[in-house]
Amino acid sequence: MIALAPAWQEALPDTLFLAPHGPQRCGMMGAGYQWWGLSGFAPSALAEGAASAAPAIDAFIDRKLAQYGLTEADLALVGFSQGAMMALQIGLRRPRAVAAVVGYSGMLAGSAGLEHDSFPKPPVLLIHGTADPVVPVAALHMSESQLKHLGINVTTHLSYGVAHNVDPVGLRLGRDFVTQGLARSPS
């Protein structure tokens, strides 16, 4: 995801971009990393995997916010595939609302702990390719429905003919969504 930084830097000139790698090499995609071993898309396995990876990411975020004197209002979470699952997992469970959550080609891995109405509800953008062979586009529709049911303001975009990647339109939409989220947040 750090490859987004140059494309977004002009619109976000005072922004620090950080992109932690998942701790494991991804077996499905040789050059990638993963936060947990993905053996399938069973809802219980996804929810368990995302929950198990969350403490390490939360600790990283806490360290970086403290290091740079920032708060959740200064934080946008952006992820691709399993990273999108983690952006949603973390972004919906932080103590205070983050400025924005953008998920590319991912899904809400579970809503455990979000049943009560007192959790932060950051704005969410989900972008998915209609030709994604890894995470089916139905995941966007399912996630959108779940997020709306939870009272979360969610925007979606389908990238027609796009496989498991981010196209230029999705890149621009994500950048604009983050820019708007950071501008709305009180710092």
Side-chain angles (χ1 to χ4, degrees):
M1 290 309 300
I2 200 65
L4 294 180
W8 290 15
Q9 192 69 55
E10 188 174 324
L12 297 159
D14 298 322
T15 303
L16 172 66
F17 294 87
L18 301 172
H21 279 301
Q24 304 170 6
R25 289 297 244 168
C26 183
M28 287 178 19
M29 300 177 163
Y33 292 87
Q34 61 188 9
W35 291 101
W36 74 91
L38 191 60
S39 58
F41 286 93
S44 60
L46 294 174
E48 183 180 316
S52 70
I57 299 169
D58 267 324
F60 173 82
I61 290 170
D62 290 342
R63 282 192 312 273
K64 293 304 174 182
L65 291 177
Q67 179 181 354
Y68 293 101
L70 302 171
T71 69
E72 278 89 350
D74 305 306
L75 175 65
L77 297 173
V78 179
F80 175 78
S81 195
Q82 199 180 64
M85 295 178 208
M86 293 313 305
L88 289 164
Q89 177 77 19
I90 300 296
L92 300 178
R93 291 170 175 85
R94 294 290 299 173
R96 288 169 296 285
V98 302
V101 176
V102 177
Y104 291 104
S105 301
M107 63 177 29
L108 181 63
S111 59
L114 301 176
E115 297 83 12
H116 58 82
D117 200 39
S118 63
F119 68 93
K121 294 180 173 83
V124 172
L125 172 64
L126 301 176
I127 298 174
H128 213 111
T130 61
D132 191 332
V134 179
V135 180
V137 70
L140 176 135
H141 302 299
M142 178 196 68
S143 298
E144 177 185 25
S145 176
Q146 290 175 318
L147 291 167
K148 284 182 176 179
H149 178 75
L150 292 167
I152 295 167
N153 181 11
V154 59
T155 304
T156 61
H157 173 76
L158 292 174
S159 295
Y160 289 93
V162 174
H164 196 62
N165 56 36
V166 180
D167 70 344
V169 173
L171 186 68
R172 178 182 50 76
L173 291 171
R175 178 203 63 206
D176 294 349
F177 192 81
V178 167
T179 301
Q180 292 167 5
L182 291 171
R184 276 191 304 267
S185 291
S187 293

